[in-house]
């Protein structure tokens, strides 16, 4: 498999790393959990198998959330709100040329995907949640 090109979307003053894979009939945005690294995902056999299967039927849009993976670092003393991080999904979709997409929110990415679908219903084709939760207990 050829290397996947990593691009960057600007969300405010933060660069969000993203990749687009596949040429399916609809866009699918994978909203990752707590930890993400676009390069390392492709090195993990099980994870890359999942991504290849998703990109077999969709135009798969992957990204590293702000402060993780290949995206810009953030100030740990001023963590972004859920609304700010959710808007990164919009920035990535805009940069990838996606007007409307299905959202797959995994783990900590599920609340972001839900908020995006509620905020931008015209841009959310479908919402799929995996291992999500409504409230994180400290």
């Amino acid at each position: 498999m050829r290397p996947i090109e990593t691009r960057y979307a600007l969300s405010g003053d933060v660069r969000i790393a993203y990749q687009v894979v596949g040429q399916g009939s609809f866009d699918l945005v994978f909203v990752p959990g707590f930890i993400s690294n676009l390069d390392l995902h492709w090195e993990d056999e099980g994870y890359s198998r999942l991504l290849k299967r998703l990109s077999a039927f969709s135009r798969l849009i992957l990204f590293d959330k702000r402060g993780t993976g290949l995206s810009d670092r953030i100030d740990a003393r001023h963590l972004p709100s859920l609304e700010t991080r959710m808007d990164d999904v919009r920035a990535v979709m805009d940069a990838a040329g996606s007007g409307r997409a299905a959202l797959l929110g995994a783990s900590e990415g599920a609340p972001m995907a839900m908020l995006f679908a509620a905020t931008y219903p015209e841009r959310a084709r479908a919402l799929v949640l995996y291992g999500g939760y409504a409230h994180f207990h400290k």
Side-chain angles (χ1 to χ4, degrees), residues 26-33 50 54 57-58 60 63 89 101-118 123-133:
F26 69 96
D27 290 350
L28 173 61
V29 178
F30 184 83
V31 184
L50 167 67
L54 292 173
F57 63 83
S58 71
L60 181 61
F63 70 99
V89 175
L103 301 162
L104 170 55
S107 183
E108 195 258 348
M112 281 176 63
M114 287 186 281
L115 182 59
F116 182 89
R123 297 198 69 180
R125 173 185 172 134
L127 179 61
V128 179
L129 306 174
Y130 176 78
Y133 50 85

Side-chain angles (χ1 to χ4, degrees), residues 10-50:
L10 198 57
S11 183
D13 58 351
V14 176
R15 295 177 321 131
I16 306 297
Y18 75 96
Q19 297 175 341
V20 179
V21 188
Q23 298 177 16
S25 61
F26 69 96
D27 290 350
L28 173 61
V29 178
F30 184 83
V31 184
F34 180 66
I35 299 172
S36 140
N37 185 301
L38 291 172
D39 284 347
L40 294 179
H41 289 328
W42 293 105
E43 293 179 17
D44 180 271
E45 183 180 338
Y47 206 88
S48 67
R49 188 171 37 248
L50 167 67

Side-chain angles (χ1 to χ4, degrees), residues 1-4 19-22 42 48-49 51-52 55 62:
M1 186 171 145
R2 66 175 177 72
I4 306 300
Q19 297 175 341
V20 179
V21 188
W42 293 105
S48 67
R49 188 171 37 248
L51 299 179
K52 288 175 188 173
S55 67
L62 307 165

Side-chain angles (χ1 to χ4, degrees), residues 63 65-66 80-89 108 112:
F63 70 99
K65 292 189 293 192
R66 61 175 59 215
S81 66
L82 181 60
E83 290 78 10
T84 298
R85 295 182 316 126
M86 176 273 306
D87 199 52
D88 294 345
V89 175
E108 195 258 348
M112 281 176 63

Side-chain angles (χ1 to χ4, degrees), residues 56-99:
F57 63 83
S58 71
R59 180 174 171 257
L60 181 61
I61 301 169
L62 307 165
F63 70 99
D64 284 336
K65 292 189 293 192
R66 61 175 59 215
T68 67
L70 305 177
S71 291
D72 283 348
R73 298 291 153 254
I74 56 173
D75 183 348
R77 296 167 297 174
H78 301 96
L79 295 176
S81 66
L82 181 60
E83 290 78 10
T84 298
R85 295 182 316 126
M86 176 273 306
D87 199 52
D88 294 345
V89 175
R90 182 207 46 79
V92 167
M93 286 178 64
D94 288 349
S98 178

